[in-house]
Amino acid sequence: MLSRILKNQNLDSFGKTAFFIITPIIIHLLILPFVFLFFSVLFYNGRYDIYKILSYTLANDLYKLVLIYSVFVFGYRYLSYKLTDIISSNKKPYIENIIINNGKYNTVVEVSNIYQIKADTPYISIQLKDKKYLHKETLKSIFAQLNHQNFVRVHKSTIINLDKVVLFKSRLNGDYDIFLNNDAEIRLSRTYVSNFKSKFKSTHQVTI
């Protein structure tokens, strides 16, 4: 049970760590006498009362409980931090460049210069300010490699760079029109409106 509770907690302070050591000990001390009392009545005709059981536990077992629960909580804290570090170290960084093969030429495109990416089966179309490239990759695959704070889906077949957005306006039917700073106009499907507004607001600090 304690492991389930700790799984949903972030033991980032001494106070919180101490709380999850002391609280189980107190619960343990409160429950244990009644368990012993039950067996005392059942097998020993009530020879031991709650006070005797609690006194014995405090005198002989308190340090054991402190040691057991401390080792468990601190061990769990250490392992959770190590696991987080391992996951972070294995996490792939977002790509900064895309190498586009066009026959005998290989063109390096900086991701920050991309305005929009559209599905153009069996390719994707990568639009810069005044150039367009075809790249053999799926929209889903390229999107997984991009920073989702800057790039967002606005349609099932379109990804845009939020840094290039000038304004967007409603069509009054749930859809929107997005305008980029290269004069491109893109439809924002109602399916993606909520996510787009959330990301746009976080990057542009505007009231929507």
Side-chain angles (χ1 to χ4, degrees), residues 148-152 160-168 178-181 195-208:
H148 294 177
Q149 292 302 313
N150 301 106
F151 288 86
V152 62
I160 66 165
N161 186 344
L162 286 171
D163 292 336
K164 310 301 182 183
V165 176
V166 176
L167 63 92
F168 63 97
I178 298 173
F179 297 88
L180 306 184
N181 61 22
N195 183 56
F196 169 82
K197 284 185 175 182
S198 174
K199 295 293 178 64
F200 187 84
K201 186 176 182 179
S202 68
T203 56
H204 289 75
Q205 297 297 312
V206 296
T207 302
I208 300 175

Side-chain angles (χ1 to χ4, degrees), residues 116-127:
Q116 63 174 306
I117 304 173
K118 299 187 71 173
D120 194 0
T121 309
Y123 302 94
I124 55 173
S125 171
I126 298 176
Q127 180 69 55

Side-chain angles (χ1 to χ4, degrees), residues 25 49 139 142-143 160 171 178 183-184 204:
I25 292 174
D49 58 29
L139 201 67
I142 197 69
F143 186 56
I160 66 165
R171 291 186 177 184
I178 298 173
D183 297 326
H204 289 75

Side-chain angles (χ1 to χ4, degrees), residues 94-105:
Y94 300 115
I95 58 172
E96 297 181 354
N97 299 290
I98 299 174
I99 300 175
I100 299 173
N101 180 266
N102 184 16
K104 63 181 181 179
Y105 298 103

Side-chain angles (χ1 to χ4, degrees), residues 14 31 60 74 102-103 120 131 136 157 160 162 170 173:
F14 176 78
I31 293 176
N60 297 277
F74 278 109
N102 184 16
D120 194 0
K131 291 182 180 179
K136 198 161 187 179
S157 62
I160 66 165
L162 286 171
S170 174
N173 65 351

Side-chain angles (χ1 to χ4, degrees), residues 29-43:
L29 290 172
L30 291 175
I31 293 176
L32 190 63
F34 290 99
V35 174
F36 275 107
L37 181 63
F38 172 77
F39 286 106
S40 174
V41 172
L42 194 63
F43 298 108

